[in-house]
C-alpha cells in the first residue's frame, strides 16, 4: 500500500521545526503561516511603537483641561480644541445678590465680581467696573435713583436685576438709563447671554459717526456733538443714555428720511429687542428734549426728526 504524502508546505513557511515546538507533530505558530499584511513590513502582529511614541489612534490631552482628550486624525495629528471664550469682565453686583450665589456663579464663568450691598457703596465703586448688575431693592437708596446717578456721569453698561416684573417698572428702569432689565427668577445662562449681548452693543457706534464731517450735527435748535456724545437744545445740555443718544444720532443723520423701526432695531440694538423698546426710548428722548415734536411718528413706517 502506498503512503499518502504530506502536502508541500507554502513557500513562506520553513520546514525546520520551531524552537518552541520541537516535539514531533507540534504545529508551527499560526502567525508564521499567514502572509504578510499588505503595506506592512512583513511583521505580524504589528510592531509595537517605542516607549513615548504615540500611536495614530491614541488621544492626547486637550489644552487647559486636565484629563480631557482630543482624538487624533488619520495622520496622527491632534485635532485642535476650540479656543476658549474670553470673558474677564469686572462686574459690580449691587444689592442682595452681592454676597450670595450669583457672584459665585459669575466667577465660575470667568468674571471678576465685586459686591456692594448699599447704593452709596455702588456710587463709589462703579467707576472701576466693566458692567453693573443693579438690584432695585436697596436698603439705603432707591435703585432707580442709583441708576440715574450712575448714568448721569458714566456710560458703563448697566443691567437691572430685580423681582419687580411689572411693565411700568421695566419702562422706568429703561428710562432711568438701564441697558437691560432682567426679572427673577432667571437662569444663569440667560443672564450670561444678556451680559454678552449688552457688551456687544456697547462696542457698536453708528457707522456714519466716524467721518469728520459728521462730528457736529445741527438741526434747528438741536445740536449733537458726535465725538463727545453731547446733546444740547438752545445751548442747554440734555443728558441721554447711550441707546437714546444712538437713536437720536441716527435720526439726525437722516433728517429728511423716515427711519423704520426695523432699521432702528438693527443699527441701535443689534436686532435683539422688541418694538416696545423702540417706542419706550423714543418717548424718553422726547421728554428729555422738552417737546414731543422733536421726533415725529409716521404711523406704520417709523420715525423722523422733527423741527421745534
Amino acid at each position: 500500500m502506498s503512503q499518502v504524502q504530506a502536502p508541500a508546505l507554502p513557500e513562506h513557511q520553513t520546514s525546520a521545526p520551531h524552537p518552541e515546538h520541537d516535539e514531533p507533530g507540534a504545529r508551527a505558530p499560526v502567525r508564521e503561516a499567514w502572509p504578510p499584511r499588505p503595506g506592512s513590513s512583513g511583521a505580524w502582529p504589528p510592531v509595537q511603537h517605542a516607549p513615548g511614541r504615540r500611536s495614530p489612534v491614541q488621544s492626547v490631552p486637550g489644552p487647559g483641561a486636565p484629563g480631557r482628550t482630543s482624538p487624533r486624525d488619520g495622520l496622527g495629528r491632534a485635532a485642535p480644541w476650540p479656543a476658549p471664550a474670553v470673558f474677564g469682565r469686572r462686574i459690580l453686583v449691587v444689592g442682595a445678590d452681592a454676597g450670595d450665589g450669583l457672584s459665585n456663579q459669575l466667577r465660575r464663568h470667568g468674571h471678576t465680581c465685586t459686591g456692594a450691598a448699599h447704593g452709596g457703596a455702588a456710587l463709589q465703586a462703579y467707576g472701576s467696573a466693566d458692567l453693573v448688575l443693579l438690584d432695585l431693592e436697596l436698603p439705603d437708596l432707591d435703585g432707580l435713583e442709583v441708576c440715574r446717578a450712575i448714568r448721569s456721569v458714566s456710560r458703563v453698561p448697566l443691567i437691572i436685576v430685580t423681582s419687580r416684573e411689572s411693565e411700568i417698572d421695566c419702562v422706568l428702569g429703561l428710562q432711568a438709563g438701564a441697558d437691560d432689565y432682567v426679572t427673577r427668577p432667571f437662569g444663569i445662562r440667560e443672564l450670561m447671554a444678556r451680559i454678552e449681548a449688552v457688551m456687544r452693543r456697547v462696542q457698536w457706534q453708528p457707522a456714519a459717526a466716524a467721518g469728520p464731517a459728521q462730528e457736529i450735527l445741527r438741526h434747528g435748535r438741536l445740536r449733537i456733538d458726535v465725538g463727545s456724545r453731547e446733546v444740547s437744545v438752545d445751548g442747554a445740555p440734555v443728558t441721554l443714555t447711550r441707546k437714546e443718544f444712538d437713536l437720536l444720532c441716527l435720526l439726525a443723520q437722516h433728517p429728511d428720511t423716515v427711519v423704520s423701526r426695523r432699521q432702528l432695531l438693527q443699527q441701535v440694538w443689534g436686532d435683539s429687542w422688541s418694538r416696545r423698546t423702540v417706542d419706550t426710548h423714543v418717548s424718553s428722548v422726547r421728554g428729555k428734549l422738552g417737546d414731543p415734536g422733536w421726533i415725529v411718528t409716521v404711523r406704520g413706517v417709523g420715525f423722523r426728526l422733527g423741527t421745534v
Side-chain angles (χ1 to χ4, degrees):
M1 182 179 295
S2 61
Q3 295 182 353
V4 178
Q5 295 183 351
L9 294 173
E11 295 181 358
H12 58 266
Q13 182 176 346
T14 62
S15 59
H18 194 275
E20 296 179 0
H21 304 272
D22 52 1
E23 296 180 1
R27 297 182 60 185
V30 176
R31 63 174 182 270
E32 291 189 4
W34 288 357
R37 173 177 289 183
S40 70
S41 60
W44 184 256
V47 177
Q48 299 295 325
H49 288 281
R53 182 179 176 185
R54 295 188 179 95
S55 169
V57 298
Q58 288 179 326
S59 298
V60 296
R68 293 181 63 191
T69 59
S70 174
R72 302 179 73 89
D73 61 18
L75 300 178
R77 298 172 300 190
W81 287 95
V86 179
F87 295 110
R89 314 287 188 193
R90 296 171 298 177
I91 300 179
L92 175 64
V93 182
V94 183
D97 291 328
D100 68 1
L102 177 57
S103 295
N104 293 332
Q105 292 183 69
L106 292 171
R107 291 188 184 98
R108 284 197 293 270
H109 281 79
H111 298 290
T112 300
C113 294
T114 301
H118 297 77
L123 293 176
Q124 297 178 356
Y126 72 87
S128 59
D130 296 324
L131 180 134
V132 177
L133 297 180
L134 175 65
D135 194 345
L136 296 181
E137 302 293 340
L138 301 176
D140 57 341
L141 299 173
D142 180 69
L144 291 177
E145 292 301 322
V146 173
C147 182
R148 293 190 187 98
I150 293 176
R151 186 57 70 227
S152 65
V153 295
S154 173
R155 300 191 182 278
V156 61
L158 188 150
I159 300 177
I160 290 178
V161 180
T162 181
S163 299
R164 302 181 187 177
E165 55 184 10
S166 67
E167 179 180 354
I168 186 61
D169 285 322
C170 178
V171 171
L172 291 175
L174 295 174
Q175 288 181 340
D179 296 286
D180 201 350
Y181 192 98
V182 183
T183 59
R184 296 186 184 88
F186 57 84
I188 186 63
R189 283 180 289 186
E190 176 190 356
L191 181 61
M192 292 294 301
R194 289 179 179 271
I195 288 175
E196 292 307 308
V198 167
M199 298 306 295
R200 284 196 304 270
R201 293 194 294 269
V202 167
Q203 299 172 357
W204 183 90
Q205 295 292 336
Q214 298 288 337
E215 286 189 356
I216 304 296
L217 301 175
R218 299 181 183 274
H219 189 79
R221 299 183 292 122
L222 178 66
R223 179 182 183 273
I224 302 174
D225 188 330
V226 177
S228 62
R229 299 177 69 87
E230 295 177 347
V231 178
S232 61
V233 177
D234 286 334
V238 178
T239 302
L240 300 179
T241 68
R242 181 174 55 259
K243 294 293 123 182
E244 290 169 352
F245 179 88
D246 292 343
L247 185 150
L248 180 62
C249 186
L250 182 59
L251 293 177
Q253 289 165 355
H254 306 85
D256 301 320
T257 304
V258 178
V259 181
S260 67
R261 283 187 173 86
R262 181 68 174 176
Q263 185 177 354
L264 287 170
L265 282 171
Q266 289 177 337
Q267 298 194 31
V268 179
W269 284 275
D271 203 18
S272 60
W273 289 53
S274 65
R275 169 179 177 148
R276 191 177 70 178
T277 299
V278 177
D279 294 339
T280 298
H281 282 75
V282 166
S283 177
S284 180
V285 172
R286 285 169 172 165
K288 292 181 178 181
L289 294 178
D291 194 304
W294 280 115
I295 300 180
V296 179
T297 301
V298 180
R299 189 175 299 277
V301 182
F303 304 92
R304 65 174 176 83
L305 196 66
T307 302
V308 176

